[in-house]
Amino acid sequence: MAEVITHETEHHHYEPGHEKTLGAKIARWVFTTNHKDIGTLYLWLSFLMFFVAGGMALLIRTELFMPGARFISPEFFNQMTTMHGLIMVFGVVMPALTGLANWQIPLMIGAPDMALPRLNNWSFWLLPFAFLLLISTFFIEGPAPNFGWTFYAPLSTQYGPPSTDFMIFAIHLMGLSSIMGAINIIATIINMRAPGMSYMKMPVFAWSWFITAFLLLGIMPVLAGCVTMMLTDRHFGTSFFNAAGGGDPLLFQHLFWFFGHPEVYVLILPAFGIISEILPTFSRKKIFGYRFMVYAIVVIAVLSYVVWAHHMFTTGIPLASELFFMYATMIIAVPTGVKVFNWTATMFKGSLSFETPMLFAIGFLFMFTFGGFSGLMLAIVPADVQYQDSYFVVAHFHYVLMSGSVYAIMAAIYYWLPKWCGYMYCEKLGKWHFWLTTLGMNITFFVMHFLGLAGMPRRIPDYPLQFEDFNRIATIGAFILGFSQLIFLYNVIKTIRGKNRVKASAEVWEGHHGLEWTVASPAPYHTFSTPPKID
């Protein structure tokens, strides 16, 4: 007698949607190993965290509406800036992109599921507990982490509150989840491509995640080591980051940014892949320069490892180091420029139509490029000395991440949601969402460039009177941006429930990759129930 579990036998015994009890319905989602279910769980977690972190941003902007206001205390303001950054990076963008990878990569490469389905389940379920642990720091003795999302030593080691240890453990859990997800994606793409699907026939989205997964494997252990050194400095008498004991606080910054700058590309490379799927579809053309798009992703990923110290130009690093990192940062703009050129060439003389996914993709193209130009300004050492720690930096990275990563995620959800649930979203609501989001985004962050150039430092709860006008404008824009996301939520729920009553048809995605819409994928199942016995 042998006990075996196969997808086929499980599929035969498990009928999704026909669960009789609430417990069975919960078990279906808790124990699922189906890539579609797990992708859905990632996306809903990201959506929830999006509103949590967005609420924190609105508290920050409310406090900054006028000088001298005391809507929240300075201590709580610092906690909000710390948590907003951590949750947006680790709780919104990364889970959303991983959810999209879970949904789409098996469909795109012709695989029945991810290569390691149970590992897939585990990598998701670590995250809700990590974020519960992180948010629980508001409710334990002492303040929540209050030293900024980059948690520089010695602010987080010698002077960090007791809740810092909870943050360290939460970061370990998030990192473990990312490593397992990356291994799964690499194994899936290498081993489970359909016959005839060579690497150079893969969709650009699959390529972008393939490269991103290797980035994650390279940088997450560095972050884990960094926060472990923080923990031992705090409780075990070591002095990695304590100058009094022979350590160096700058070592923390080197370790953090060696993780942190490739992490920026972890957040944006899959977004590049999404845009490379959407623009050809709504241009009715193949992607321009497919091979160069793939090579550009590889070059960006390699160079991302050698530009970390451009975050540290004001720390007193040697002139030779400053020059090297300045030139390396300039060079990384070249493959990024290749991608922007190729996206533009894809649209050139195409038969364009401007549905919601295309609007978000074009918005991405304009505003991400704008954020890239301000990044080039920050790459120049003498200029960076002036811009450092000002609102100019805040404006730059929000243009890159909000109108970059987040816009691409929104474009992907509008693009693929009809495929996922069988119903079309409301196009009118989608366009309202795009235009209000774009209006709010630019009102909020464009004026921050002027605040930074005028000398307003970031992470302060109060400011001199001369900065009041632009801060008021930014706060109004933030509320437009925040509340327009309720339209997005309503549209998604309405579509999933089939309230639009417009069924999706194959014509919706008459794009350039027929395979991703025709490959059969099994119905959701899980492999945790008692297996059948086979003689």
Side-chain angles (χ1 to χ4, degrees), residues 345-405:
T346 300
M347 292 189 289
F348 182 65
K349 290 191 176 180
S351 179
L352 286 98
S353 60
F354 298 98
E355 287 85 0
T356 306
M358 185 64 161
L359 291 176
F360 273 101
I362 294 172
F364 167 97
L365 195 54
F366 275 94
M367 289 183 283
F368 173 79
T369 304
F370 183 81
F373 282 131
S374 63
L376 280 173
M377 294 170 67
L378 287 161
I380 302 167
V381 175
D384 183 78
V385 171
Q386 303 300 316
Y387 304 143
Q388 178 69 24
D389 262 340
S390 75
Y391 263 80
F392 189 88
V393 179
V394 179
H396 157 68
F397 70 69
H398 279 92
Y399 264 91
V400 172
L401 290 180
M402 177 64 200
S403 60
S405 301

Side-chain angles (χ1 to χ4, degrees), residues 144-450:
N146 56 5
F147 30 68
W149 77 275
T150 51
F151 47 94
Y152 278 4
L155 294 175
S156 58
T157 50
Q158 289 172 259
Y159 309 111
S163 60
T164 307
D165 302 326
F166 289 75
M167 183 202 76
I168 290 170
F169 188 39
I171 288 172
H172 271 302
L173 291 178
M174 297 171 205
L176 187 59
S177 170
S178 294
I179 288 171
M180 291 192 294
I183 291 169
N184 209 349
I185 288 168
I186 292 169
T188 302
I189 290 175
I190 290 177
N191 295 312
M192 299 187 70
R193 300 189 312 280
M197 167 78 65
S198 66
Y199 285 111
M200 278 302 169
K201 289 181 181 176
M202 290 197 309
V204 180
F205 179 72
W207 257 113
S208 69
W209 249 115
F210 190 43
I211 302 302
T212 299
F214 282 104
L215 273 181
L216 281 169
L217 288 185
I219 63 174
M220 279 309 182
V222 176
L223 179 65
C226 183
V227 295
T228 302
M229 291 157 79
M230 282 175 59
L231 192 69
T232 59
D233 269 16
R234 286 171 59 82
H235 296 294
F236 297 99
T238 59
S239 297
F240 292 112
F241 309 128
N242 183 3
D248 188 352
L250 272 191
L251 174 62
F252 178 93
Q253 292 191 36
H254 280 290
L255 288 172
F256 180 86
W257 287 116
F258 187 82
F259 150 80
H261 201 80
E263 169 68 11
V264 171
Y265 290 96
V266 168
L267 303 178
I268 203 65
L269 288 183
F272 288 172
I274 291 164
I275 301 304
S276 299
E277 300 301 314
I278 292 172
L279 287 178
T281 298
F282 293 97
S283 301
R284 275 74 180 176
K285 286 174 63 183
K286 287 188 176 181
I287 188 82
F288 180 86
Y290 168 86
R291 283 182 175 270
F292 286 98
M293 294 293 265
V294 173
Y295 298 152
I297 293 173
V298 176
V299 172
I300 290 169
V302 172
L303 289 176
S304 73
Y305 279 110
V306 294
V307 295
W308 78 88
H310 67 211
H311 298 270
M312 300 170 59
F313 285 153
T314 57
T315 59
I317 59 175
L319 177 62
S321 296
E322 290 182 340
L323 289 172
F324 170 82
F325 287 106
M326 179 173 75
Y327 295 143
T329 306
M330 295 288 191
I331 291 168
I332 209 169
V334 175
T336 311
V338 168
K339 299 190 77 63
V340 172
F341 174 82
N342 283 21
W343 287 324
T344 308
T346 300
M347 292 189 289
F348 182 65
K349 290 191 176 180
S351 179
L352 286 98
S353 60
F354 298 98
E355 287 85 0
T356 306
M358 185 64 161
L359 291 176
F360 273 101
I362 294 172
F364 167 97
L365 195 54
F366 275 94
M367 289 183 283
F368 173 79
T369 304
F370 183 81
F373 282 131
S374 63
L376 280 173
M377 294 170 67
L378 287 161
I380 302 167
V381 175
D384 183 78
V385 171
Q386 303 300 316
Y387 304 143
Q388 178 69 24
D389 262 340
S390 75
Y391 263 80
F392 189 88
V393 179
V394 179
H396 157 68
F397 70 69
H398 279 92
Y399 264 91
V400 172
L401 290 180
M402 177 64 200
S403 60
S405 301
V406 176
Y407 262 51
I409 290 163
M410 291 172 176
I413 290 171
Y414 280 115
Y415 183 53
W416 283 316
L417 187 61
K419 160 69 179 170
W420 298 340
C421 67
Y423 291 95
M424 281 300 296
Y425 59 87
C426 175
E427 188 68 51
K428 188 174 181 180
L429 284 177
K431 287 182 174 173
W432 269 105
H433 173 223
F434 168 76
W435 288 112
L436 285 173
T437 299
T438 302
L439 181 70
M441 157 80 206
N442 285 287
I443 291 174
T444 304
F445 298 112
F446 189 74
V447 297
M448 289 185 186
H449 292 96
F450 306 132

Side-chain angles (χ1 to χ4, degrees), residues 488-503:
F488 185 33
L489 178 63
Y490 174 72
N491 203 1
V492 168
I493 293 173
K494 186 179 175 186
T495 306
I496 291 170
R497 298 181 65 186
K499 296 293 185 182
N500 295 325
R501 293 186 173 83
V502 179
K503 292 211 169 188

